[in-house]
Amino acid sequence: MYDCKHACACRALAEHKRADKQKFWWWPMEDNPSFQKHLMIALGEHTYLMLHRQDTVTPGQCSIVPHKHVSASNLCDEEVGREIERFKQSLRRMFESQGKGVLFVETVMGLRRRPHTKVDVYPVPEEVEEDA
C-alpha cells in the first residue's frame, strides 16, 4: 500500500538536501568556493553589502543581502527590513554626492528550492533614475 505521508517526507528530505548543495556566488557558506570574501564591503547585524565580482551592468553595482534565507524583502523581520532601508539611504546619499542616481531592484534566486532574495543596487545617471 502507498504511504502518502512517507512519500511526502522523503520528497521533503531530498529537497532539503538539494537546497543545501545550492550555492549562490554571493552566499557566504564555508564550503562555497564561489564566495569571494573580499567583495563583502559592509557587514550589518542582519544583512551585508557585497560588490559584484564580474559582469556588472554599471560600475559600482552591488547587492544588499539578508543573512537568512527569505523569499522577499517584504517578508523579512522588521529589523532586517530596517537595516535594508538604512543601507539604501546610505547608498543613495553616497551616489548623490557623486552626481548619480541609484536604482534598487529586488532579485529572488532559487524559487523552486530554497528562495533567497537580494536587493541589487545600480548606480545610474540622475536622468535615468528620474525616468525610471
Side-chain angles (χ1 to χ4, degrees):
M1 180 184 253
Y2 180 71
D3 183 2
C4 182
K5 288 182 183 177
H6 178 70
C8 290
C10 287
R11 275 196 304 274
L13 182 60
E15 187 68 28
H16 181 73
K17 286 180 180 178
R18 274 194 305 275
D20 280 348
K21 291 180 183 176
Q22 183 180 19
K23 295 173 179 68
F24 305 117
W25 67 264
W26 39 270
W27 189 247
M29 297 171 61
E30 297 81 32
D31 61 342
N32 185 357
S34 308
F35 183 74
Q36 297 174 357
K37 192 174 184 175
H38 67 280
L39 295 176
M40 187 183 296
I41 55 175
L43 180 61
E45 189 175 336
H46 306 285
T47 60
Y48 58 92
L49 184 64
M50 179 125 192
L51 288 174
H52 284 231
R53 58 184 178 174
Q54 59 190 14
D55 300 328
T56 59
V57 176
T58 62
Q61 181 179 334
C62 55
S63 295
I64 305 166
V65 186
H67 291 297
K68 294 181 181 177
H69 283 280
V70 65
S71 57
S73 62
N74 64 345
L75 299 176
C76 292
D77 293 337
E78 283 183 42
E79 54 273 352
V80 178
R82 282 193 295 268
E83 193 166 280
I84 289 172
E85 287 306 312
R86 282 193 302 272
F87 268 126
K88 285 180 173 182
Q89 289 170 2
S90 296
L91 289 164
R92 196 173 281 118
R93 282 192 305 269
M94 181 187 79
F95 290 121
E96 271 180 16
S97 73
Q98 299 172 5
K100 296 180 182 176
V102 62
L103 300 178
F104 298 101
V105 179
E106 186 166 353
T107 303
V108 181
M109 304 292 288
L111 279 175
R112 303 189 104 211
R113 293 195 174 101
R114 191 172 188 184
H116 193 83
T117 192
K118 64 185 175 94
V119 178
D120 291 317
V121 181
Y122 299 94
V124 294
E126 287 178 324
E127 59 273 6
V128 172
E129 180 186 43
E130 292 168 10
D131 288 344

